[in-house]
Amino acid sequence: MYNDLLLNRLTAPTENEDEQVQELITELEELDSLLSPEAQELIRDLRPYIVTDDVYEDIDEKASFGERVADWTATFQGSWKFIGVFALIMAIWISFNAATGKTAFDPYPFILLNLTLSTYAAFSTPLILMAQNRQSAKDRAVAQNDFQVNLKSEVEIADLHRKIDVLTDTITMQNKMVNVLVEARRKELNATVRMMEHKRSDSSQNGNGNGNGNGSINTNGNGNGNGNGQAH
């Protein structure tokens, strides 16, 4: 069984398995009690499946080229490297055109630079929004996966509590039966001891009675003998 679970972890889950897991979790959500027979059957059906999943890896594998570009753009623009490169380009642009004067390709007040920055802002803003939407989708997927993992953990813990309660009740019943058997055995032993003591007392009384009878007979015999001797 452990090898099967390890093999399931190494192999990626199929879409059918994901659908089955989702159906089982949906049915579990609709239950009122996790200790009902229906819940126990659903827990047994859900137990072989691996609910934990690397959501980020799955989303990145299914990402398109545009989505990858949006992620790279948002990542690059949110770094100190972008700030340094952007500041360097701005300094070179302004310094070159200011030093060149009227022969510059973008003289003061740098209208071409303003147009370039406006165009860049117009294109970068949608890319950043796309990256934010993808991050929101990732967060929702992570939250959904966390919910499934927590739900499976909850039902497994509830099932363990049920099994522990059953074991506790069984042990309690066995202890009661053992106590009853011990008490019965103790009464039996007490009765046997009393019977042995009674027989021992009866045998000792019979021995004392026989001894007293023999002693009286011997006394009578001695008296008779003495009387006969005096008569002669």
Side-chain angles (χ1 to χ4, degrees), residues 125-188:
T125 301
L127 292 175
I128 294 174
L129 292 176
M130 290 172 59
Q132 289 180 350
N133 292 333
R134 277 177 49 78
Q135 186 62 41
S136 298
K138 290 179 180 180
D139 294 339
R140 287 193 298 270
V142 170
Q144 180 65 23
N145 185 253
D146 291 340
F147 171 74
Q148 293 179 357
V149 172
N150 292 334
L151 181 61
K152 185 177 180 182
S153 301
E154 182 179 359
V155 297
E156 290 290 350
I157 291 173
D159 189 47
L160 287 176
H161 277 292
R162 182 187 62 81
K163 292 178 180 179
I164 291 174
D165 292 338
V166 172
L167 289 175
T168 303
D169 295 338
T170 303
I171 292 173
T172 303
M173 183 62 66
Q174 290 179 352
N175 288 334
K176 290 181 179 179
M177 294 176 64
V178 169
N179 292 331
V180 170
L181 293 175
V182 169
E183 184 66 22
R185 182 62 177 171
R186 186 179 64 81
K187 291 180 179 180
E188 183 180 356

Side-chain angles (χ1 to χ4, degrees), residues 111-127:
I111 297 174
L112 182 59
L113 177 61
N114 292 330
L115 179 61
T116 303
L117 293 177
S118 299
T119 304
Y120 175 77
F123 280 99
S124 64
T125 301
L127 292 175

Side-chain angles (χ1 to χ4, degrees), residues 56-70:
Y56 283 93
E57 183 178 358
D58 294 340
I59 294 177
D60 291 337
E61 289 177 355
K62 298 177 182 179
S64 62
F65 176 76
E67 292 173 343
R68 294 179 185 274
V69 171

Side-chain angles (χ1 to χ4, degrees), residues 202-215:
D202 291 342
S203 61
S204 63
Q205 290 178 0
N206 292 332
N208 292 331
N210 292 330
N212 293 330
N214 293 328

Side-chain angles (χ1 to χ4, degrees), residues 80-97:
W80 282 103
K81 183 178 180 180
F82 170 78
I83 294 175
V85 172
F86 185 77
L88 180 62
I89 293 174
M90 290 287 293
I92 294 173
W93 185 298
I94 294 173
S95 300
F96 176 79
N97 288 282

Side-chain angles (χ1 to χ4, degrees), residues 28-44:
L28 282 172
E29 292 176 2
E30 297 175 354
L31 295 177
D32 296 330
S33 175
L34 295 178
L35 299 178
S36 61
E38 294 82 3
Q40 303 305 319
E41 184 177 357
L42 291 175
I43 291 172
R44 287 193 296 270

